[in-house]
Amino acid sequence: MRLGVFYHPQLARQTLALAGKLRLIAVTSAPAEDDAAFAEIRAKFTFSLHYWLGGYRESLPEEALLRLEEMAALLRPEWVVERIESCEMSDGGRRLEEPLAPLYTQDSLEQFCRFAGRVRRRVTAPLAWENVPGYLPARGAEMREGEFIRRLLKQTGSKLALNLPAIWVSAHHANCTPMEYLEEFPLEETGILQVAGMEQNLDLGGPWISPSPPSDEMLTLMEFVTERTPKLQVILLDACFAELPPPAFAEGVERITLKARFASA
Amino acid sequence: MNGFGLQDSIIRSLSDAGYRRSAANPALHIASVESLNRAARFLARRYYVSRVGRFYQKTGQLSHVSGRIPARALQGRDVDPILDAAVLGSRETAESIAACVDKALTREDAEIVARIPYWRELVRYDSSYFLAEARSQRPVSEMPLANPDALTIDFDWDLFRELGHSGEQGIPEIPRQKTTLVFCCDSKGAVSVTRPTDVAMQLMALADGTRSLVALAEAVNYPQQRTDALVDCLRKAGALL
């Protein structure tokens, strides 16, 4: 098991300084041309590619898939991670900029399976699926999220990128604890585990991910999960916030390192 | 309605207050009004905080002098009525948001203006940059047509340049020089700011959707080939449709 972080150019120097502790970098977009530090990052770390194409749309633009291919060719990622989200209307009419969970129906499951096939035809790296925060409780689902994910992993031969902050949010809006919410999740198929700080969001009237180190409660949940995830390879600190101050970033790495048992570099 | 149709109605509900409140909204059958409103306000605030952070660049760059961070104007509860009525990406909502941010940046700003004499111009610049991304319904025209969403703004200071060269006390020196700038958004959503030539200004004024390229070249007394190239350039930038 190794420790990784989401890449942010503003934190490149801090990331490089922590190269002894960090082993993997999660990348969400192509590096900017003026990102001088990225060549060094590329030389020192392995990658996971979180491109988040959005699996809901049937008519995924060819150019989006080409960009995914290009990114995979550049980074040779250990994983390609896609979110189980549906932020865009099926006709492409409107797109939300924050993740939105799909309705967990059989139709939706089949759509994500078709999407996985399209991704697999473009990249060779293993595919992992990331859960998203369920901040909008809705009726109309045919199965619970955990069951949906279990079926999706089985039908697509993929692993789970378990986003614990998202679980935290979903559990709050489902009126249960994060541990209870995880009961139906296929934790044994978890390859990547994401942790982050949390704060109260006044608009949602509940928790949301914050640019802060993970709390003791989050780290306790992380321990609970790691005891149940024999195939876990990476714990990721979700630092993909521009506003995460470097000291908080370093503190986050330190707090996770103290709690988890990582393989030596 | 199948699951995909319901999902589409949720997405639309969360991005368009008018649709969300309409009795015909299918999302109301699967989610409570309260939870839809809560999620919509959350999404709207994040949408506009992100954009104000991105487009109010020049005032943001001088926040160490002004003590004012543009996006902070959207953190209070007083913005909630705007967010609750928002249609994400629309010009109307963007105007309400810009008015709110501009008010926060210019309220009792005499001390700031004393230190940064072009402060209010900077606010207008950033506000225009922010507004240019938001769209109304774009008309369709075969003939060149000025984009109704493009903004042509006159400034008393030359704000076309980067705020790179700091003078005394870390305040960039900007020449006091009348400047006209056009803020527009291309078909892919990229916003640009240009200082148009006189011919480009004339073309934008004359392109009303009824004049052909030949008629425009004649009207501005400019060589046809160069008119074609200029119109093409203005179309790519989003100043013309």
Side-chain angles (χ1 to χ4, degrees):
Chain A
M1 189 165 67
R2 294 161 295 157
L3 176 60
V5 292
F6 274 84
Y7 182 64
H8 195 285
Q10 285 174 247
L11 295 169
R13 289 290 145 213
Q14 287 73 25
T15 302
L16 285 164
L18 291 166
K21 288 180 177 170
L22 301 173
R23 306 278 295 281
L24 182 133
I25 301 295
V27 174
T28 58
S29 59
E33 284 178 10
D34 61 353
D35 185 350
F38 195 77
E40 201 178 340
I41 292 276
R42 199 173 153 208
K44 284 197 170 159
F45 298 99
T46 55
F47 294 94
S48 58
L49 177 54
H50 304 238
Y51 209 59
W52 302 327
L53 284 162
Y56 185 65
R57 275 185 73 184
E58 198 71 76
S59 55
L60 196 59
E62 176 65 15
E63 60 189 50
L65 288 163
L66 279 173
R67 281 201 301 272
L68 172 69
E69 263 186 321
E70 286 168 8
M71 286 285 287
L74 174 73
L75 300 174
R76 300 180 188 282
E78 288 186 22
W79 300 88
V80 169
V81 181
E82 280 298 326
R83 278 175 170 166
I84 306 168
E85 66 179 357
S86 65
C87 310
E88 191 161 356
M89 289 174 68
S90 44
D91 64 359
R94 284 178 183 274
R95 182 182 176 85
L96 301 174
E97 294 184 354
E98 300 295 330
L100 177 71
L103 283 176
Y104 298 114
T105 63
Q106 184 61 32
D107 284 349
S108 185
L109 178 63
E110 287 166 10
Q111 182 118 354
F112 277 98
C113 289
R114 285 195 292 276
F115 172 69
R118 297 180 72 187
V119 171
R120 281 191 186 289
R121 282 194 287 277
R122 301 300 184 115
V123 294
T124 53
L127 179 62
W129 290 100
E130 178 189 339
N131 56 301
V132 300
Y135 55 86
L136 178 66
R139 299 176 294 273
E142 294 167 2
M143 59 193 98
R144 290 177 195 268
E145 183 182 10
E147 177 61 20
F148 184 92
I149 291 177
R150 183 179 294 282
R151 291 192 200 182
L152 179 62
L153 300 188
K154 190 175 178 187
Q155 290 181 31
T156 58
S158 309
K159 295 291 180 212
L160 176 59
L162 184 63
N163 184 327
L164 281 189
I167 293 290
W168 203 285
V169 174
S170 303
H172 172 85
H173 293 283
N175 296 314
C176 64
T177 67
M179 288 174 193
E180 287 167 346
Y181 195 81
L182 281 168
E183 275 174 11
E184 291 184 8
F185 272 64
L187 295 182
E188 69 282 3
E189 296 300 331
T190 306
I192 299 175
L193 184 62
Q194 291 181 39
V195 295
M198 303 294 290
E199 65 186 5
Q200 189 70 6
N201 183 283
L202 293 176
D203 290 332
L204 285 176
W208 191 253
I209 299 104
S210 82
S212 61
S215 64
D216 288 343
E217 292 81 5
M218 176 61 72
L219 293 174
T220 301
L221 181 62
M222 180 188 84
E223 278 188 303
F224 170 85
V225 172
T226 54
E227 286 164 6
R228 291 158 178 80
T229 50
K231 295 175 188 169
L232 182 63
Q233 293 187 21
V234 182
I235 295 180
L236 274 179
L237 172 63
D238 189 347
C240 58
F241 295 94
E243 64 264 44
L244 186 70
F249 173 73
E251 188 189 337
V253 169
E254 191 60 32
R255 286 176 63 80
I256 297 171
T257 306
L258 288 171
K259 279 281 180 183
R261 288 182 290 275
F262 294 109
S264 55
Chain B
M1 181 173 276
N2 66 18
F4 296 136
L6 283 172
Q7 188 74 27
D8 282 354
S9 73
I10 289 176
I11 294 168
R12 196 169 164 201
S13 295
L14 294 176
S15 53
D16 181 339
Y19 179 82
R20 183 166 68 250
R21 290 167 185 166
S22 74
N25 176 9
L28 294 171
H29 296 295
I30 57 169
S32 70
V33 173
E34 189 198 354
S35 61
L36 279 171
N37 286 343
R38 218 169 36 203
R41 184 190 288 179
F42 164 76
L43 291 169
R45 196 182 308 272
R46 290 179 73 85
Y47 182 92
Y48 286 109
V49 164
S50 157
R51 273 162 179 72
V52 167
R54 200 182 329 150
F55 290 113
Y56 278 73
Q57 278 177 9
K58 291 184 189 273
T59 46
Q61 254 179 283
L62 291 180
S63 59
H64 65 288
V65 181
S66 69
R68 297 186 182 185
I69 296 171
R72 286 222 179 122
L74 304 183
Q75 302 294 3
R77 299 261 68 108
D78 53 324
V79 195
D80 290 357
I82 299 173
L83 301 175
D84 291 347
V87 179
L88 302 187
S90 73
R91 178 55 68 95
E92 193 182 350
T93 303
E95 283 171 350
S96 302
I97 294 286
C100 177
V101 175
D102 295 357
K103 190 176 163 191
L105 291 174
T106 55
R107 184 188 297 131
E108 295 171 6
D109 62 351
E111 276 185 33
I112 301 171
V113 172
R115 296 189 68 192
I116 311 170
Y118 49 85
W119 171 251
R120 290 207 162 199
E121 295 272 275
L122 273 190
V123 174
R124 280 208 304 139
Y125 178 100
D126 282 353
S127 189
S128 307
Y129 195 31
F130 166 79
L131 282 173
E133 196 216 16
R135 298 181 188 196
S136 51
Q137 196 72 33
R138 280 193 173 180
V140 178
S141 173
E142 284 187 17
M143 307 279 194
L145 174 67
N147 182 353
D149 291 335
L151 298 160
T152 303
I153 311 284
D154 294 322
F155 294 97
D156 289 331
W157 298 75
D158 181 8
L159 297 176
F160 191 53
R161 58 190 65 212
E162 298 287 323
L163 297 183
H165 306 290
S166 292
E168 284 178 31
Q169 301 172 329
I171 299 165
E173 291 167 358
I174 299 287
R176 184 158 198 155
Q177 181 181 313
K178 288 201 180 295
T179 309
T180 299
L181 300 179
V182 173
F183 300 76
C184 51
C185 183
D186 70 15
S187 57
K188 291 184 175 171
V191 179
S192 61
V193 185
T194 54
R195 179 154 43 194
T197 60
D198 289 344
V199 177
M201 287 292 285
Q202 287 176 55
L203 285 172
M204 286 188 282
L206 291 166
D208 59 1
T210 66
R211 292 183 172 90
S212 66
L213 285 165
V214 173
L216 284 172
E218 278 176 11
V220 298
N221 193 23
Y222 203 54
Q224 187 66 55
Q225 211 172 352
R226 293 176 71 179
T227 302
D228 294 353
L230 187 51
V231 166
D232 188 48
C233 189
L234 291 168
R235 273 183 163 151
K236 279 181 182 152
L240 294 182
L241 300 175

Short mmCIF file of all heavy atoms in Angstrom, two decimals, chain B residues 174-218:
data_model
loop_
_atom_site.label_atom_id
_atom_site.label_comp_id
_atom_site.label_asym_id
_atom_site.label_seq_id
_atom_site.Cartn_x
_atom_site.Cartn_y
_atom_site.Cartn_z
N ILE B 174 -0.18 52.20 -14.48
CA ILE B 174 -1.00 52.06 -15.68
C ILE B 174 -1.14 53.44 -16.32
O ILE B 174 -1.48 54.40 -15.62
CB ILE B 174 -2.42 51.52 -15.31
CG1 ILE B 174 -2.33 50.15 -14.65
CG2 ILE B 174 -3.33 51.51 -16.53
CD1 ILE B 174 -2.01 49.02 -15.57
N PRO B 175 -0.86 53.56 -17.62
CA PRO B 175 -1.02 54.88 -18.23
C PRO B 175 -2.47 55.32 -18.30
O PRO B 175 -3.35 54.50 -18.59
CB PRO B 175 -0.45 54.69 -19.65
CG PRO B 175 -0.15 53.26 -19.81
CD PRO B 175 -0.40 52.54 -18.54
N ARG B 176 -2.69 56.61 -18.00
CA ARG B 176 -4.05 57.15 -18.14
C ARG B 176 -4.25 57.46 -19.62
O ARG B 176 -3.72 58.43 -20.14
CB ARG B 176 -4.19 58.41 -17.29
CG ARG B 176 -5.60 58.93 -17.32
CD ARG B 176 -5.90 59.81 -16.12
NE ARG B 176 -7.34 59.93 -15.97
CZ ARG B 176 -7.96 60.19 -14.85
NH1 ARG B 176 -7.28 60.33 -13.76
NH2 ARG B 176 -9.27 60.28 -14.81
N GLN B 177 -4.99 56.62 -20.28
CA GLN B 177 -5.11 56.72 -21.74
C GLN B 177 -6.43 56.09 -22.14
O GLN B 177 -6.70 54.94 -21.76
CB GLN B 177 -3.94 55.95 -22.35
CG GLN B 177 -3.88 55.94 -23.85
CD GLN B 177 -2.68 55.09 -24.30
OE1 GLN B 177 -1.57 55.23 -23.79
NE2 GLN B 177 -2.91 54.20 -25.23
N LYS B 178 -7.24 56.83 -22.89
CA LYS B 178 -8.56 56.29 -23.27
C LYS B 178 -8.38 55.04 -24.13
O LYS B 178 -7.57 55.03 -25.06
CB LYS B 178 -9.35 57.35 -24.03
CG LYS B 178 -9.84 58.47 -23.11
CD LYS B 178 -11.01 59.21 -23.72
CE LYS B 178 -11.48 60.34 -22.80
NZ LYS B 178 -12.04 59.86 -21.54
N THR B 179 -9.13 54.02 -23.77
CA THR B 179 -8.99 52.72 -24.45
C THR B 179 -10.37 52.10 -24.61
O THR B 179 -11.17 52.12 -23.67
CB THR B 179 -8.13 51.75 -23.59
OG1 THR B 179 -6.93 52.40 -23.24
CG2 THR B 179 -7.82 50.47 -24.35
N THR B 180 -10.62 51.55 -25.78
CA THR B 180 -11.86 50.80 -25.98
C THR B 180 -11.51 49.32 -26.10
O THR B 180 -10.64 48.95 -26.89
CB THR B 180 -12.58 51.27 -27.26
OG1 THR B 180 -12.89 52.65 -27.11
CG2 THR B 180 -13.85 50.47 -27.49
N LEU B 181 -12.18 48.52 -25.31
CA LEU B 181 -11.92 47.07 -25.33
C LEU B 181 -13.20 46.31 -25.61
O LEU B 181 -14.29 46.74 -25.22
CB LEU B 181 -11.34 46.61 -23.99
CG LEU B 181 -10.01 47.25 -23.55
CD1 LEU B 181 -9.59 46.70 -22.19
CD2 LEU B 181 -8.91 46.99 -24.57
N VAL B 182 -13.04 45.18 -26.30
CA VAL B 182 -14.19 44.31 -26.57
C VAL B 182 -13.99 43.01 -25.79
O VAL B 182 -12.94 42.38 -25.88
CB VAL B 182 -14.33 44.02 -28.08
CG1 VAL B 182 -15.42 42.98 -28.33
CG2 VAL B 182 -14.62 45.30 -28.84
N PHE B 183 -15.00 42.65 -25.04
CA PHE B 183 -15.00 41.41 -24.26
C PHE B 183 -15.99 40.46 -24.92
O PHE B 183 -17.18 40.78 -25.07
CB PHE B 183 -15.47 41.66 -22.82
CG PHE B 183 -14.60 42.63 -22.06
CD1 PHE B 183 -14.68 44.00 -22.31
CD2 PHE B 183 -13.71 42.18 -21.11
CE1 PHE B 183 -13.88 44.90 -21.61
CE2 PHE B 183 -12.91 43.08 -20.40
CZ PHE B 183 -12.99 44.44 -20.65
N CYS B 184 -15.52 39.31 -25.34
CA CYS B 184 -16.45 38.37 -25.98
C CYS B 184 -16.05 36.93 -25.68
O CYS B 184 -14.96 36.64 -25.19
CB CYS B 184 -16.52 38.63 -27.48
SG CYS B 184 -14.94 38.70 -28.29
N CYS B 185 -16.97 36.05 -26.02
CA CYS B 185 -16.82 34.63 -25.68
C CYS B 185 -17.01 33.81 -26.96
O CYS B 185 -18.00 34.01 -27.68
CB CYS B 185 -17.89 34.27 -24.64
SG CYS B 185 -17.81 32.58 -24.05
N ASP B 186 -16.08 32.91 -27.24
CA ASP B 186 -16.21 32.13 -28.48
C ASP B 186 -17.18 30.96 -28.29
O ASP B 186 -17.71 30.76 -27.20
CB ASP B 186 -14.84 31.69 -28.99
CG ASP B 186 -14.19 30.62 -28.12
OD1 ASP B 186 -14.89 30.02 -27.28
OD2 ASP B 186 -12.98 30.39 -28.28
N SER B 187 -17.38 30.20 -29.35
CA SER B 187 -18.39 29.14 -29.31
C SER B 187 -18.02 28.02 -28.33
O SER B 187 -18.86 27.24 -27.91
CB SER B 187 -18.59 28.55 -30.70
OG SER B 187 -17.35 28.07 -31.18
N LYS B 188 -16.73 27.94 -27.94
CA LYS B 188 -16.31 26.91 -26.99
C LYS B 188 -16.28 27.42 -25.55
O LYS B 188 -15.87 26.71 -24.64
CB LYS B 188 -14.94 26.37 -27.38
CG LYS B 188 -15.00 25.55 -28.67
CD LYS B 188 -13.68 24.94 -28.99
CE LYS B 188 -13.82 24.04 -30.23
NZ LYS B 188 -12.54 23.58 -30.74
N GLY B 189 -16.66 28.68 -25.37
CA GLY B 189 -16.73 29.20 -24.01
C GLY B 189 -15.49 29.95 -23.56
O GLY B 189 -15.40 30.35 -22.40
N ALA B 190 -14.52 30.14 -24.46
CA ALA B 190 -13.31 30.88 -24.07
C ALA B 190 -13.55 32.38 -24.20
O ALA B 190 -13.99 32.85 -25.25
CB ALA B 190 -12.13 30.45 -24.93
N VAL B 191 -13.26 33.12 -23.12
CA VAL B 191 -13.48 34.56 -23.13
C VAL B 191 -12.18 35.27 -23.53
O VAL B 191 -11.10 34.89 -23.07
CB VAL B 191 -13.92 35.05 -21.73
CG1 VAL B 191 -14.13 36.56 -21.72
CG2 VAL B 191 -15.19 34.33 -21.31
N SER B 192 -12.31 36.27 -24.38
CA SER B 192 -11.12 37.03 -24.75
C SER B 192 -11.41 38.52 -24.65
O SER B 192 -12.57 38.95 -24.71
CB SER B 192 -10.67 36.67 -26.17
OG SER B 192 -11.69 36.98 -27.08
N VAL B 193 -10.34 39.27 -24.47
CA VAL B 193 -10.44 40.73 -24.45
C VAL B 193 -9.54 41.24 -25.57
O VAL B 193 -8.38 40.84 -25.66
CB VAL B 193 -9.94 41.30 -23.10
CG1 VAL B 193 -10.17 42.81 -23.06
CG2 VAL B 193 -10.62 40.62 -21.94
N THR B 194 -10.10 42.08 -26.45
CA THR B 194 -9.29 42.60 -27.55
C THR B 194 -9.43 44.12 -27.62
O THR B 194 -10.44 44.68 -27.20
CB THR B 194 -9.75 42.01 -28.91
OG1 THR B 194 -11.15 42.24 -29.04
CG2 THR B 194 -9.49 40.53 -29.00
N ARG B 195 -8.38 44.72 -28.18
CA ARG B 195 -8.45 46.15 -28.45
C ARG B 195 -8.68 46.26 -29.95
O ARG B 195 -7.76 46.06 -30.74
CB ARG B 195 -7.15 46.84 -28.04
CG ARG B 195 -7.18 48.31 -28.34
CD ARG B 195 -6.29 49.13 -27.44
NE ARG B 195 -4.98 48.59 -27.20
CZ ARG B 195 -4.16 49.03 -26.25
NH1 ARG B 195 -4.54 50.00 -25.46
NH2 ARG B 195 -2.97 48.51 -26.07
N PRO B 196 -9.91 46.54 -30.37
CA PRO B 196 -10.22 46.46 -31.79
C PRO B 196 -9.66 47.63 -32.59
O PRO B 196 -9.52 48.73 -32.07
CB PRO B 196 -11.75 46.48 -31.80
CG PRO B 196 -12.11 47.22 -30.57
CD PRO B 196 -11.06 46.94 -29.56
N THR B 197 -9.36 47.36 -33.86
CA THR B 197 -8.96 48.43 -34.76
C THR B 197 -10.21 49.22 -35.13
O THR B 197 -11.35 48.77 -34.89
CB THR B 197 -8.33 47.86 -36.03
OG1 THR B 197 -9.33 47.03 -36.67
CG2 THR B 197 -7.10 47.02 -35.73
N ASP B 198 -10.01 50.36 -35.76
CA ASP B 198 -11.17 51.16 -36.20
C ASP B 198 -12.05 50.36 -37.17
O ASP B 198 -13.28 50.42 -37.10
CB ASP B 198 -10.69 52.45 -36.87
CG ASP B 198 -10.09 53.40 -35.85
OD1 ASP B 198 -10.32 53.19 -34.65
OD2 ASP B 198 -9.37 54.33 -36.26
N VAL B 199 -11.40 49.65 -38.09
CA VAL B 199 -12.17 48.87 -39.07
C VAL B 199 -12.98 47.79 -38.37
O VAL B 199 -14.16 47.57 -38.67
CB VAL B 199 -11.23 48.23 -40.13
CG1 VAL B 199 -12.03 47.37 -41.11
CG2 VAL B 199 -10.47 49.30 -40.87
N ALA B 200 -12.37 47.13 -37.40
CA ALA B 200 -13.09 46.07 -36.66
C ALA B 200 -14.30 46.67 -35.94
O ALA B 200 -15.39 46.08 -35.93
CB ALA B 200 -12.15 45.40 -35.66
N MET B 201 -14.12 47.86 -35.36
CA MET B 201 -15.24 48.53 -34.68
C MET B 201 -16.36 48.84 -35.67
O MET B 201 -17.55 48.65 -35.37
CB MET B 201 -14.75 49.82 -34.03
CG MET B 201 -13.91 49.62 -32.79
SD MET B 201 -14.85 48.95 -31.42
CE MET B 201 -15.76 50.40 -30.92
N GLN B 202 -15.97 49.31 -36.85
CA GLN B 202 -16.99 49.63 -37.85
C GLN B 202 -17.73 48.37 -38.30
O GLN B 202 -18.95 48.37 -38.46
CB GLN B 202 -16.32 50.28 -39.08
CG GLN B 202 -15.84 51.70 -38.86
CD GLN B 202 -15.12 52.21 -40.10
OE1 GLN B 202 -15.67 52.18 -41.20
NE2 GLN B 202 -13.90 52.64 -39.93
N LEU B 203 -16.96 47.29 -38.49
CA LEU B 203 -17.60 46.03 -38.91
C LEU B 203 -18.60 45.55 -37.85
O LEU B 203 -19.71 45.12 -38.18
CB LEU B 203 -16.54 44.95 -39.15
CG LEU B 203 -15.72 45.08 -40.44
CD1 LEU B 203 -14.58 44.07 -40.45
CD2 LEU B 203 -16.62 44.87 -41.66
N MET B 204 -18.21 45.64 -36.59
CA MET B 204 -19.12 45.19 -35.52
C MET B 204 -20.37 46.06 -35.46
O MET B 204 -21.46 45.57 -35.19
CB MET B 204 -18.40 45.19 -34.17
CG MET B 204 -17.40 44.04 -34.03
SD MET B 204 -16.70 43.90 -32.38
CE MET B 204 -15.51 45.19 -32.40
N ALA B 205 -20.20 47.34 -35.78
CA ALA B 205 -21.36 48.24 -35.75
C ALA B 205 -22.29 47.97 -36.93
O ALA B 205 -23.52 48.11 -36.81
CB ALA B 205 -20.88 49.69 -35.76
N LEU B 206 -21.72 47.56 -38.05
CA LEU B 206 -22.52 47.39 -39.27
C LEU B 206 -23.08 45.97 -39.44
O LEU B 206 -24.03 45.75 -40.21
CB LEU B 206 -21.68 47.74 -40.50
CG LEU B 206 -21.32 49.22 -40.66
CD1 LEU B 206 -20.22 49.40 -41.69
CD2 LEU B 206 -22.56 50.01 -41.07
N ALA B 207 -22.47 45.01 -38.76
CA ALA B 207 -22.88 43.61 -38.95
C ALA B 207 -24.21 43.38 -38.23
O ALA B 207 -24.24 42.99 -37.06
CB ALA B 207 -21.80 42.67 -38.42
N ASP B 208 -25.30 43.61 -38.95
CA ASP B 208 -26.63 43.48 -38.33
C ASP B 208 -27.39 42.27 -38.87
O ASP B 208 -28.59 42.13 -38.67
CB ASP B 208 -27.44 44.75 -38.57
CG ASP B 208 -27.62 45.06 -40.04
OD1 ASP B 208 -27.13 44.26 -40.88
OD2 ASP B 208 -28.23 46.08 -40.37
N GLY B 209 -26.66 41.40 -39.58
CA GLY B 209 -27.30 40.19 -40.09
C GLY B 209 -27.95 40.37 -41.45
O GLY B 209 -28.49 39.41 -42.00
N THR B 210 -27.90 41.60 -41.99
CA THR B 210 -28.51 41.82 -43.31
C THR B 210 -27.45 42.10 -44.38
O THR B 210 -27.75 42.09 -45.56
CB THR B 210 -29.48 43.03 -43.28
OG1 THR B 210 -28.72 44.23 -43.04
CG2 THR B 210 -30.55 42.86 -42.21
N ARG B 211 -26.21 42.37 -43.96
CA ARG B 211 -25.18 42.74 -44.93
C ARG B 211 -24.25 41.55 -45.21
O ARG B 211 -23.75 40.91 -44.28
CB ARG B 211 -24.35 43.92 -44.40
CG ARG B 211 -25.10 45.23 -44.31
CD ARG B 211 -24.17 46.33 -43.83
NE ARG B 211 -24.81 47.64 -43.90
CZ ARG B 211 -25.51 48.16 -42.90
NH1 ARG B 211 -25.66 47.50 -41.78
NH2 ARG B 211 -26.08 49.35 -43.04
N SER B 212 -23.98 41.34 -46.48
CA SER B 212 -23.05 40.28 -46.87
C SER B 212 -21.62 40.78 -46.62
O SER B 212 -21.39 41.97 -46.33
CB SER B 212 -23.22 39.95 -48.35
OG SER B 212 -22.82 41.08 -49.12
N LEU B 213 -20.66 39.86 -46.79
CA LEU B 213 -19.26 40.25 -46.65
C LEU B 213 -18.88 41.32 -47.67
O LEU B 213 -18.11 42.25 -47.37
CB LEU B 213 -18.36 39.01 -46.83
CG LEU B 213 -18.34 38.04 -45.63
CD1 LEU B 213 -17.75 36.70 -46.04
CD2 LEU B 213 -17.54 38.65 -44.49
N VAL B 214 -19.43 41.18 -48.87
CA VAL B 214 -19.14 42.16 -49.92
C VAL B 214 -19.68 43.53 -49.50
O VAL B 214 -18.98 44.55 -49.60
CB VAL B 214 -19.76 41.71 -51.26
CG1 VAL B 214 -19.62 42.80 -52.32
CG2 VAL B 214 -19.10 40.41 -51.74
N ALA B 215 -20.92 43.53 -49.01
CA ALA B 215 -21.53 44.80 -48.59
C ALA B 215 -20.77 45.42 -47.42
O ALA B 215 -20.59 46.65 -47.36
CB ALA B 215 -22.99 44.56 -48.21
N LEU B 216 -20.29 44.59 -46.54
CA LEU B 216 -19.53 45.11 -45.40
C LEU B 216 -18.20 45.72 -45.85
O LEU B 216 -17.82 46.79 -45.39
CB LEU B 216 -19.27 43.99 -44.38
CG LEU B 216 -20.45 43.57 -43.51
CD1 LEU B 216 -20.11 42.33 -42.70
CD2 LEU B 216 -20.86 44.70 -42.57
N ALA B 217 -17.53 45.02 -46.78
CA ALA B 217 -16.24 45.53 -47.28
C ALA B 217 -16.46 46.89 -47.95
O ALA B 217 -15.66 47.82 -47.76
CB ALA B 217 -15.63 44.52 -48.26
N GLU B 218 -17.52 46.99 -48.71
CA GLU B 218 -17.83 48.27 -49.38
C GLU B 218 -18.13 49.36 -48.34
O GLU B 218 -17.64 50.48 -48.44
CB GLU B 218 -19.04 48.10 -50.29
CG GLU B 218 -18.68 47.49 -51.65
CD GLU B 218 -19.92 47.24 -52.49
OE1 GLU B 218 -21.02 47.73 -52.15
OE2 GLU B 218 -19.77 46.53 -53.49
#
